[in-house]
Amino acid sequence: MTTSPNLAIRMRRADFNRALAEADLNAIGPLLAPQAMLVTGSDSAVISGRKAQLQAWKREFAAAERTIYTRTPEHIVASPVEPVAMEHGRWQGVTAGSDRPLASGTYSAKWRQVGADWVIEAEIYLTLA
C-alpha cells in the first residue's frame, strides 16, 4: 500500500518534531536532504546543508535553557508532475519543560520524495510573535 504524499509528509514532520523534542540528532539527519536549506524566522540567517543544520541543532540542544520547536502543518500541496511537495504551517518555540511560548510564526517547507522517503529540501520561517 502506498501512502499519499500528504500523509507521508505529515508523518515525517511528526518524526522531526519528536526528534527536536528528544534532542535526537540521529533522527533528524535522515529527514534532511544533503543540501537542505533553512532560512531562520527573525534574522533570515541561512543554514545551508544537512551537516550545518545538524551542527546548529547540536548547539541548540546543548543550550542551558533549551527551546523546543514544533511545526504544525496546515496545508500540503503535492506536485502532480514531479516528486516534490510544499508544506505550509505554523511553528512555535517553547521553553523545555514548560509550555511558556518564546516565539511563533509561519513556515513553508519544500519536500522531495527520494525512493520511498520524503526529505526536506528547504524551509523558510517567519517570526510573528
Side-chain angles (χ1 to χ4, degrees):
M1 181 176 156
T2 303
T3 305
S4 74
N6 187 308
L7 180 58
I9 290 168
R10 287 178 187 276
M11 289 170 38
R12 297 287 277 181
R13 180 55 74 190
D15 292 342
F16 199 103
N17 285 337
R18 189 171 26 264
L20 291 178
E22 296 172 0
D24 186 351
L25 285 175
N26 291 327
I28 293 172
L31 298 166
L32 299 171
Q35 301 304 319
M37 301 284 293
L38 186 147
V39 180
T40 64
S42 298
D43 60 5
S44 295
V46 176
I47 304 172
S48 181
R50 178 192 296 144
K51 184 177 178 181
Q53 286 196 41
L54 291 174
Q55 289 173 342
W57 286 118
K58 185 176 182 177
R59 285 189 304 274
E60 183 75 27
F61 296 158
E65 237 185 80
R66 197 160 83 78
T67 303
I68 308 279
Y69 294 96
T70 303
R71 283 91 159 165
T72 304
E74 294 179 335
H75 306 286
I76 296 170
V77 179
S79 170
V81 296
E82 295 290 337
V84 294
M86 285 295 293
E87 169 193 5
H88 305 281
R90 300 187 95 30
W91 67 270
Q92 181 176 26
V94 300
T95 303
S98 81
D99 289 332
R100 185 172 56 104
L102 298 173
S104 63
T106 63
Y107 72 93
S108 292
K110 182 181 177 194
W111 293 79
R112 178 171 297 276
Q113 187 174 23
V114 179
D117 293 324
W118 285 87
V119 294
I120 297 169
E121 284 192 321
E123 294 179 292
I124 187 165
Y125 292 86
L126 173 65
T127 301
L128 296 172

